[in-house]
Amino acid sequence: MSKKEVGAKKPERYELGRARDRITFLYLEHAKLNRKDSAIQVMDQRGIVYVPAAILSVLMLGPGVDVTHRAMELIGESGLGVVWVGERGVRQYAYGRSLNHSSALLEAQAKLVSNQRSRLMVAREMYQMRFPNDDVSQLNMQQLRGKEGARVRRVYLEQSQRTGVAWSHREYNPDDFDSGTPINKALTAAHQAIYGLSYSVISALGASAGLGFVHTGHDLSFVYDFADLYKAEYSIPIAFSVTEKFETDPDIGSRTRLAMRDAFVDGKLIIRMVKDLKTLLGMPADAEEADVVSLWDDRLGLQKFGVQYHELQEDDSR
């Protein structure tokens, strides 16, 4: 008699939602997370809700969250990113296995970042996305950074003038969220939301969060690179708009996260991110995911996996 299986079976890859079709993120705090079949059971003092894991991109888990081993098992199987955040959105790390079991994007990224010329080419392409009307093809990294710095300062000033929110400079204490000004707290929460979504898309497609083209030396370098593409359009203006309305609200971080969530859905940002990431790494935007394992050979190229080559070698020697 076969052993009886307990709980829901592990989902097949075709049963999981593609990265571009998922809901962006869900923020939770002061809750207990467990598993109920193929859903995450979220329980707090108000009651219990069930969240289908396969439709989410990333879970942002704030203070006071307890997660069971069964819940983490489901999260890993579903390719759902997990971002542990503290102080209402500061800091993030950890994610589940990628949805894309092909290493094609990762290999392309490693090849591009390992060559100085191709790395600069990708960096220029990322800056070109922010300056569509400017020619940056001849700029070096120092010139690109200077151009971006001036652009960001201009965006902050424009948003300050638009909303009437006073602005001097960006500052925050990662160990004390509440020590910041309302606009800086809103910016921190907004940027963390865009980092979380960027992290989720990068991880879901099988690329590396650590192999950055502009930022370097950190395990989230590429997350910072990628998120910078969208800050001027999403996190900065939203943070200023929220501050304009809720400057005296002590929970301005939560207000900002909700506004970011709505903007992500309305603007279909996750679909755009998937396309942009593949384009930056030189992959066709409509490239299908693959689940193939091959063996590398320095002379023969890719070889078939699952063949007993020791026996073939013996046969050839006879």
Side-chain angles (χ1 to χ4, degrees), residues 34 38 43 48 65 78-79 96 105 113 200 313:
N34 206 336
S38 293
M43 179 172 58
I48 299 175
V65 172
S78 303
L105 271 175
V113 81
S200 176
Q313 186 178 21

Side-chain angles (χ1 to χ4, degrees), residues 301-315:
L302 296 181
Q303 299 296 295
K304 186 175 180 181
F305 173 74
V307 175
Q308 180 50 270
Y309 286 97
H310 175 69
E311 295 178 357
L312 292 178
Q313 186 178 21
E314 288 183 344
D315 291 341

Side-chain angles (χ1 to χ4, degrees), residues 166-231:
W167 174 255
S168 58
H169 61 283
R170 178 78 173 108
E171 64 175 351
Y172 71 98
N173 182 349
D175 296 317
D176 187 2
F177 178 83
D178 289 321
S179 67
T181 62
I183 180 57
N184 273 293
K185 289 193 286 187
L187 283 167
T188 296
H191 290 337
Q192 287 296 339
I194 207 93
Y195 290 148
L197 185 58
S198 298
Y199 195 0
S200 176
V201 170
I202 291 168
S203 301
L205 296 182
S208 169
L211 295 181
F213 294 88
V214 178
H215 296 85
T216 191
H218 193 277
D219 63 338
L220 297 177
S221 293
F222 190 50
V223 174
Y224 300 142
D225 281 359
F226 197 56
D228 280 351
L229 297 177
Y230 312 102
K231 284 182 179 178

